[in-house]
């Protein structure tokens, strides 16, 4: 997958965020990380994001609400939700809203890579399919 592919990561847990950043860079992606959804929304690279990895819970809006807001604004960024807790009803709602994956911490690298690959296939189908 090309290095110009921008993966944006939003998580308020700095250690977790940095570990995901390191993993994405190891896989060859360009990465931007944000401590909150508001920091991401104020970034000039929202429109350049190929895949969004976002924590489910924030005080001002959930990851699902962020996804909806982006879609309503014309940015249908393939999104992966990460949560510390498995909630089947939230997971079902997220997937019905177009979220690519819902991962529960801790998850393994292969699961994340599979989700990122699926997200990128949705973002640019012709470029990433083998």
């Amino acid at each position: 997958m090309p290095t110009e592919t921008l993966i944006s990561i939003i998580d308020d847990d700095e250690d977790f965020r940095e570990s995901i950043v390191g993993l994405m860079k190891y896989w060859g992606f360009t990465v931007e990380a944000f401590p909150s959804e508001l920091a991401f929304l104020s970034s000039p690279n929202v429109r350049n994001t190929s895949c969004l990895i976002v924590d489910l819970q924030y005080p001002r809006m959930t990851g699902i609400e962020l996804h909806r807001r982006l879609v309503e604004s014309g940015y249908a960024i393939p999104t992966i939700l990460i949560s510390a807790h498995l909630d089947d009803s939230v997971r079902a709602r997220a997937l019905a809203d177009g979220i690519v994956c819902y991962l529960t911490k801790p998850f393994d690298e292969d699961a994340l890579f599979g989700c990122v690959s699926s997200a990128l296939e949705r973002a640019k189908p012709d470029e990433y399919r083998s």
Side-chain angles (χ1 to χ4, degrees):
M1 292 177 198
T3 56
E4 68 271 4
T5 300
L6 177 61
I7 308 292
S8 292
I9 300 164
I10 307 170
D11 200 294
D12 57 353
D13 179 335
E14 184 177 0
D15 291 337
F16 178 79
R17 189 174 63 241
E18 291 306 313
S19 70
I20 298 300
V21 165
L23 188 58
M24 292 294 126
K25 287 182 177 180
Y26 174 78
W27 287 335
F29 297 110
T30 301
V31 182
E32 278 198 309
F34 305 91
S36 71
E37 73 286 4
L38 298 178
F40 172 71
L41 289 171
S42 66
S43 165
N45 280 324
V46 169
R47 68 177 48 103
N48 300 323
T49 297
S50 300
C51 173
L52 179 62
I53 300 172
V54 61
D55 193 11
L56 176 63
Q57 293 294 3
Y58 285 97
R60 292 199 173 98
M61 76 177 76
T62 67
I64 296 170
E65 291 166 339
L66 173 63
H67 176 74
R68 286 182 192 147
R69 181 173 174 178
L70 289 167
V71 169
E72 290 168 0
S73 299
Y75 301 111
I77 302 168
T79 301
I80 299 165
L81 280 182
I82 296 174
S83 178
H85 307 285
L86 177 60
D87 182 325
D88 288 331
S89 64
V90 171
R91 181 181 185 279
R93 189 174 73 234
L95 296 175
D97 278 357
I99 299 293
V100 175
C101 288
Y102 180 107
L103 295 174
T104 306
K105 296 176 186 176
F107 50 85
D108 69 27
E109 294 175 4
D110 291 339
L112 180 59
F113 188 79
C115 287
V116 170
S117 296
S118 293
L120 295 176
E121 286 177 16
R122 285 192 192 187
K124 297 179 182 174
D126 297 333
E127 188 175 333
Y128 295 105
R129 288 199 180 133
S130 48

